[in-house]
Amino acid sequence: MDKSDHNDDFYTKKLQVILADRIVINHDSYMFKFTFKNENERLGMQVAQHLLIYGQNLKGEIVSRKYTATEEGPGYFLIPIKIYRPAAHPAFPDGGELTPWLETVALNTLITIKRCMGKLLYEHGLFLVRPKENKVKRPFNQVIMCAGGTGITPCYQVIMSVCNNPDDNTKIILLFANRTEQDILLRKELEAFAQKNPDKFKLHYTIDKEKEGWNHFSGHINQEMLQKIVNVTDQTIGLICGPKGFNKLAIQLYQDIGLTKDRIVKF
């Protein structure tokens, strides 16, 4: 669970992968499939770690953004990515820095990536928080997650790790926020985990624009929602991933319900 598990250049070396496919998920999101030149090579990262993808912004400048794979195997990995097109999203009127390029770049293009250590490593109930400066693994038996949009991906890795391990009894509560019901990524997979693991994984949604028949939360995440779904103890850790404003709000809400700063992790 630490950097010594890899060679010195594992987190510093850039490498090139092939953009093999771009599968439509919904109106503004794709599942991107990347492959290695060597069909036996693997991404080889630990639970909740992310990578940098390099490309071009609309000005032609080289930029990078963080993404988390939701599946990987020999020779490939998958990442769901939401596209922020110009004038399509009020929070990004000029479009995203990288995603418009990712949507249009030709398949089979070589893409530069770099693996990153990240702010959390997880393995079987043990959490290594901020591993660059900390080597002490801490046990927590309950995890509250607030995820916004594509911020679900690192949370999904932890959920997948816990739910696929019958010996892991960590309890997870997810509050997943989106603009609309159609924006919910990995919904089928999340609901399957919740159905198969009712004692370990509780799934809650909130959306900004609810429609008739919606029987989950609506509106921005708030203290009332969190107090309804989680009882914080000294064995609770809070994870957050989403846009900047969402993250800032979630940090404050976690503190309001009793989580201390050392038990709050923003991916």
Side-chain angles (χ1 to χ4, degrees), residues 113-166:
I113 68 167
K114 183 170 75 72
R115 301 176 179 98
C116 299
M117 172 82 68
K119 295 182 180 178
L120 178 78
L121 300 180
Y122 174 78
E123 185 178 19
H124 201 165
L126 294 176
F127 296 78
L128 185 55
V129 178
R130 300 174 184 90
K132 286 185 178 180
E133 58 252 15
N134 178 35
K135 301 302 177 187
V136 179
K137 304 167 189 175
R138 300 177 63 183
F140 293 99
N141 59 27
Q142 180 175 250
V143 185
I144 174 67
M145 300 175 171
C146 283
T150 53
I152 187 61
T153 53
C155 297
Y156 180 77
Q157 280 205 358
V158 178
I159 293 165
M160 185 165 52
S161 177
V162 170
C163 290
N164 285 339
N165 184 352

Side-chain angles (χ1 to χ4, degrees), residues 84-85 87-94 179 209:
Y84 292 92
R85 304 178 183 111
H89 195 291
F92 303 93
D94 299 324
R179 293 182 69 205
K209 301 177 181 179

Side-chain angles (χ1 to χ4, degrees), residues 174-193:
L174 170 65
L175 179 56
F176 189 13
N178 287 274
R179 293 182 69 205
T180 70
E181 187 174 2
Q182 289 68 39
D183 289 318
I184 300 173
L185 293 179
L186 300 169
R187 184 174 186 176
K188 179 180 177 181
E189 293 84 351
L190 289 167
E191 292 180 356
F193 279 135

Side-chain angles (χ1 to χ4, degrees), residues 4-37:
S4 63
D5 294 336
H6 299 294
N7 296 329
D8 290 342
D9 65 352
F10 187 82
Y11 295 107
T12 59
K13 181 182 178 181
K14 293 180 181 179
L15 61 152
Q16 289 192 315
V17 294
I18 302 164
L19 175 56
D21 206 353
R22 190 168 40 222
I23 304 162
V24 174
I25 297 175
N26 59 28
H27 61 286
D28 64 2
S29 301
Y30 297 86
M31 183 67 76
F32 284 75
K33 181 178 182 180
F34 298 92
T35 58
F36 293 95
K37 298 174 185 178

